[in-house]
Amino acid sequence: MPASLRTVHHLLASGSVRVLVSDLDGVLRVFDQGLWDELDAELGVDTGSSFRAILGHPYLDEVTRGRGTHARWRELVVEHLVAAGAAPGAARHSVDRWADTPATIDEGVLGLLDEARAGGVPVFVFTNGTDRVPAELAQLGLDAVVGAHGEHLINSADLGHAKPDREAFERAHKRIEHQLRQERGENGRADRERGELQHLRPAEVLFLDDSPRHVGSARAFGWQAVLHPSGTACG
C-alpha cells in the first residue's frame, strides 16, 4: 500500500474525518502512460507532441469549467496535431484512439474508498472533468462510489470552476453539505443532526489528489489533503 493510502487510512481511523474526497484521474482512474509514445510514433511527430496537444491544449481549461465540450476539444486537438505535421486522417484516428482507450481502476484506492463507506464515512469523487465524465464512470462500473445518479460525483464542468481555484473547493464543499443534508433527511434523521451537517467544517474533509497544486489549494481552503503518487493525469 502506498504511503499516501496508509496516511489516509490512519486519518480515517483517528476519527477526525467526516467526509473522504478522492480525485479521479491519476488516483482512482489510471491510464497507460505508454500510449503517448505510441501516438507520437504513429503520427510521426516529436516525442511529447500528443501529450501537449491533448492535455496541454488551452481549451481544456474551458472544458473543465463547463464552457466547452469534450467533442470540441477533440476537434481542436486534431487541428493542433495537423499544424504540428501530422496527416489529418492520422491525427483524427490518434485522437479517437486516445479518447476511446479504456482506463483501469486502482484497486488499492477503490478498496480504501469502499472501506471508508463501510465504516460510515461518506465518499465523494472530485474531478476536473468534462461533460463525458458521468458516462465514463458508468462504463467503469463506479456507481457504488459516485451513486447511481452521480450524487457523489463533483465534476468541475458542473461547478463552473476547476481545481486549483479556491472557488472550486468552496463550491465542492457546499455540494457535499447539500448532498449529506438530503441523505440525512431521506433517512429520517433528527433535525438536530441535519443542522450539524450545515456546519461541516473544512477540517473534517479529507482529500486525496495526485497534483501538488490541488493539494496545496485544498489545504489553503481548510481541507485535510494527502498527495498521492500519480498514475497519470489531468483531473
Side-chain angles (χ1 to χ4, degrees):
M1 178 184 291
S4 55
L5 299 190
R6 290 198 299 271
T7 299
V8 170
H9 191 276
H10 173 75
L11 290 170
L12 288 171
S14 73
S16 65
V17 176
R18 292 178 64 190
V19 175
L20 176 60
V21 181
S22 173
D23 180 32
L24 179 59
D25 290 337
V27 179
L28 179 58
R29 177 173 71 169
V30 296
F31 297 89
D32 178 10
Q33 290 299 285
L35 178 63
W36 297 114
D37 289 338
E38 293 178 19
L39 295 179
D40 288 339
E42 70 182 28
L43 288 170
V45 294
D46 294 339
T47 299
S49 295
S50 296
F51 182 91
R52 290 191 296 271
I54 296 173
L55 296 188
H57 199 288
Y59 187 70
L60 179 56
D61 286 341
E62 298 298 303
V63 178
T64 58
R65 287 167 172 80
R67 299 192 290 264
T69 66
H70 193 284
R72 179 57 179 157
W73 175 29
R74 290 165 67 168
E75 292 174 355
L76 292 173
V77 168
V78 169
E79 294 175 8
H80 184 104
L81 288 170
V82 170
R92 185 166 299 280
H93 177 270
S94 291
V95 172
D96 288 345
R97 180 184 172 194
W98 160 76
D100 296 335
T101 295
T104 58
I105 299 300
D106 186 311
E107 294 297 334
V109 174
L110 180 60
L112 185 61
L113 300 185
D114 288 343
E115 181 182 339
R117 289 170 48 243
V121 176
V123 169
F124 289 80
V125 172
F126 182 17
T127 180
N128 278 0
T130 75
D131 50 312
R132 280 203 349 172
V133 164
E136 292 169 349
L137 296 190
Q139 188 175 36
L140 286 170
L142 287 173
D143 288 356
V145 178
V146 300
H149 303 289
E151 302 93 334
H152 283 234
L153 170 63
I154 303 172
N155 186 353
S156 66
D158 298 328
L159 295 181
H161 289 268
K163 299 175 288 185
D165 301 351
R166 180 179 178 86
E167 183 72 17
F169 289 96
E170 292 176 350
R171 294 188 180 194
H173 193 84
K174 290 177 181 177
R175 285 281 184 96
I176 291 169
E177 288 180 319
H178 176 75
Q179 181 60 31
L180 294 182
R181 284 198 301 270
Q182 279 195 323
E183 292 175 3
R184 292 299 175 104
E186 290 169 0
N187 291 335
R189 299 298 180 93
D191 289 341
R192 177 184 62 80
E193 202 169 21
R194 293 202 298 272
E196 288 174 355
L197 282 170
Q198 292 176 354
H199 303 288
L200 177 69
R201 294 186 296 111
E204 295 173 316
V205 177
L206 176 59
F207 179 53
L208 181 68
D209 198 290
D210 65 324
S211 165
R213 290 182 68 203
H214 299 173
V215 166
S217 292
R219 289 173 178 167
F221 174 66
W223 283 2
Q224 300 181 62
V226 175
L227 181 65
H228 185 70
S230 179
T232 172
C234 68

